[in-house]
Amino acid sequence: MIHIKTPEEIEEYKQAGSLSKAALRLAGSLVRPGISTREIDQAVEGFIRLHGGIPAFKGYGGFPGTVCASINEEIVHGIPSPVRFLNEGDIITFDTGATVNGWVGDNAWTFYVGEVSTEVKGLCEVTRDCLKAGIAQAVPGNHLGDIGYAVQHLAESHGYGVVREYVGHGVGRSMHEDPNVPNYGKRGRGVKLQEGMIIAIEPMITLGTYKNHVLGNGWTVVTNDGLQSAHYENTIAITKDGPVILTQDDEGPWCVMQGGEK
Ligand code: MG
């Protein structure tokens, strides 16, 4: 069932969106060679709680972290660890969510650890552009397939893979609501988008194959070929005035790419 939100509810949601973005920004600011993912996780948890939020992922389905910290070939659901250290040239995706007044924020960003290869940078930039292309389609009267098509078309035109098994989703008082928001699709197909829907759009795009599997820890999803995967996510409201990004703080909806580009 799709929960349609009133304009007042969408306004209420913005606090959760803002804190989730600030938490993501904090995680990104701590990225450096030698730091453990657990250290970043603890800092983000403290930050969310200090600002009156509840870490939305911690305990969700038994997930042990406040952030998902997915390095290189890890697509999603990397578990923060005190013995997993970042290395120069890695990419790391943080997925962070904060619950505020019962509303659940959700957003993700792939950060560079120091200098990364041109090839991997290209993957990240295109994935970020896929998110923008998907958001642009999130208007009343369009269909879910328009979002999926926009993401898939851009990614595949660059020769990248589009992960099928993990998708965006409706969000609100629960982290995962209907509908699913796939990163692939056909124009004009699927659920019709209407004013008052809040959805998380989150392309997961791979340098090589999009085929993947879950590691023995039961959580972490990795590419079968071991090549890198990038992941960017914003939560948006569909309004008559167009898509409104709800996961934004005072600095806006985007984190900073290497070189200062947003
Ligand atoms: Mg999500």
Side-chain angles (χ1 to χ4, degrees):
M1 193 185 110
I2 296 173
H3 295 281
I4 297 299
K5 282 80 177 177
T6 65
E8 293 73 27
E9 287 176 320
I10 290 172
E11 274 308 304
E12 278 178 37
Y13 183 93
K14 286 180 179 174
Q15 269 189 293
S18 170
L19 185 54
S20 298
K21 178 62 64 186
L24 185 57
R25 228 181 264 295
L26 171 67
S29 75
L30 296 173
V31 167
R32 59 174 167 77
I35 196 169
S36 75
T37 52
R38 170 76 177 163
E39 188 175 336
I40 295 174
D41 184 71
Q42 288 183 320
V44 173
E45 177 172 1
F47 178 84
I48 289 173
R49 294 192 191 281
L50 181 70
H51 289 85
I54 300 164
F57 299 170
K58 193 155 191 165
Y60 186 90
F63 188 77
T66 289
V67 305
C68 297
S70 308
I71 300 172
N72 295 335
E73 77 281 6
E74 297 172 351
I75 299 171
V76 286
H77 306 161
I79 297 176
S81 161
V83 293
R84 191 78 196 275
F85 301 98
L86 300 184
N87 292 306
E88 175 83 21
D90 286 344
I91 53 172
I92 177 157
T93 301
F94 292 111
D95 202 332
T96 67
T99 302
V100 180
N101 295 327
W103 295 98
V104 184
D106 189 8
N107 63 177
W109 191 270
T110 300
F111 295 93
Y112 307 151
V113 185
E115 198 59 41
V116 306
S117 70
T118 308
E119 193 181 29
V120 170
K121 225 177 257 188
L123 169 71
C124 292
E125 287 170 1
V126 168
T127 306
R128 188 257 335 251
D129 288 345
C130 285
L131 172 58
K132 290 185 174 176
I135 290 172
Q137 294 298 319
V139 295
N142 266 3
H143 293 254
L144 280 175
D146 295 305
I147 296 175
Y149 175 84
V151 171
Q152 181 180 17
H153 181 72
L154 181 56
E156 291 182 350
S157 72
H158 287 268
Y160 299 136
V162 177
V163 172
R164 306 294 203 271
E165 293 84 353
Y166 305 90
V167 295
H169 49 92
V171 59
R173 294 195 179 276
S174 305
M175 181 149 50
H176 293 108
E177 296 184 356
D178 289 335
N180 279 341
V181 182
N183 295 304
Y184 55 89
K186 292 193 166 65
R187 283 189 275 203
R189 300 281 182 84
V191 169
K192 196 173 189 178
L193 303 177
Q194 53 176 304
E195 213 182 315
M197 290 171 68
I198 297 182
I199 56 173
I201 301 177
E202 49 179 320
M204 289 153 244
I205 306 297
T206 59
L207 196 55
T209 184
Y210 61 83
K211 300 270 175 57
N212 59 77
H213 61 279
V214 181
L215 294 181
N217 64 22
W219 278 105
T220 310
V221 182
V222 298
T223 57
N224 284 356
D225 59 10
L227 292 179
Q228 287 88 342
S229 177
H231 176 204
Y232 296 80
E233 174 183 30
N234 268 324
T235 295
I236 61 117
I238 294 169
T239 78
K240 62 178 183 334
D241 301 319
V244 175
I245 300 177
L246 301 176
T247 37
Q248 61 176 309
D249 59 8
D250 292 344
E251 293 178 59
W254 307 101
C255 297
V256 176
M257 304 285 282
Q258 189 101 337
E261 191 197 353
K262 286 189 175 180

